[in-house]
Amino acid sequence: MPNPEGPFQPDGATIFLVDEDDAVRDALVVSLRAAGHAVAAFGSARQFLEAYRQGEAGCLVVDMDLPDGGAVGLLRKLAVAQVLLPAIITSRRLRRPPPSGVLPAGRILFLDKPFGVDELLRLIRTAMDAGAGNEPAP
C-alpha cells in the first residue's frame, strides 16, 4: 500500500537496509516495499560497501552492532569517501546517542529496537527531507 502522506523520496532514492539478522531484515524489506519504497538489503557493512555506488540517493538504515565494524565504522568509512547519506542507526542496546565526536558529521537519527514500521517510516521521511535540504517532517 502506498504511503498515505505521498512520496517523499527523490526520484531513484533507495532505502539501504543493513542488518545481520535475516528475520529482521526480511520483515523490514517486505514492510518498506509494501509502503512503496525501493529497498536494497545487506547482511553486513562489507556487502553494502561493495554494492553502493557513489552518488546513489537514499537513506541508510543500519544496525549499531554489525559484526564487521558496526554502524559507527560504516558511517566513518562513508564519511571518508564523502558519501553523505542520511542514516538511521537501530539498536537493541542504545538508549541514547553516542557522545559527540564518535560519529561523523551528517544527518544521523537513532531508533531503539524493537520498533514499529510506522516509526521507522516517520524517521526515514525526516532523514530524507533533511538530507534533501527540506525542513524535517513534524
Side-chain angles (χ1 to χ4, degrees):
M1 176 163 100
N3 183 346
E5 295 178 327
F8 62 89
Q9 297 184 44
D11 288 340
T14 299
I15 306 217
F16 299 101
L17 177 62
V18 186
D19 196 306
E20 72 170 336
D21 186 320
D22 293 340
V24 169
R25 192 175 60 250
D26 292 346
L28 288 174
V29 166
V30 168
S31 297
L32 292 169
R33 286 184 178 155
H37 301 284
V39 181
F42 307 92
S44 70
R46 180 189 52 76
Q47 288 175 348
F48 169 75
L49 290 169
E50 288 173 355
Y52 181 78
R53 298 295 169 248
Q54 183 80 10
E56 286 181 292
C59 180
L60 178 63
V61 178
V62 58
D63 184 62
M64 177 66 123
D65 300 313
L66 293 172
D68 56 349
V72 173
L74 175 56
L75 291 171
R76 285 182 178 161
K77 287 177 183 175
L78 291 174
V80 167
Q82 298 182 337
V83 173
L84 303 176
L85 286 174
I88 299 167
I89 296 175
T90 64
S91 177
R92 285 186 174 86
R93 299 182 292 149
L94 185 68
R95 294 292 170 221
R96 61 178 181 217
S100 65
V102 171
L103 291 171
R107 182 64 170 171
I108 301 171
L109 304 172
F110 299 88
L111 184 58
D112 289 327
K113 289 181 179 180
F115 53 82
V117 173
D118 288 341
E119 187 176 9
L120 176 59
L121 287 169
R122 182 184 59 76
L123 280 182
I124 290 169
R125 180 181 183 110
T126 299
M128 293 290 291
D129 284 349
N134 301 323
E135 291 299 314

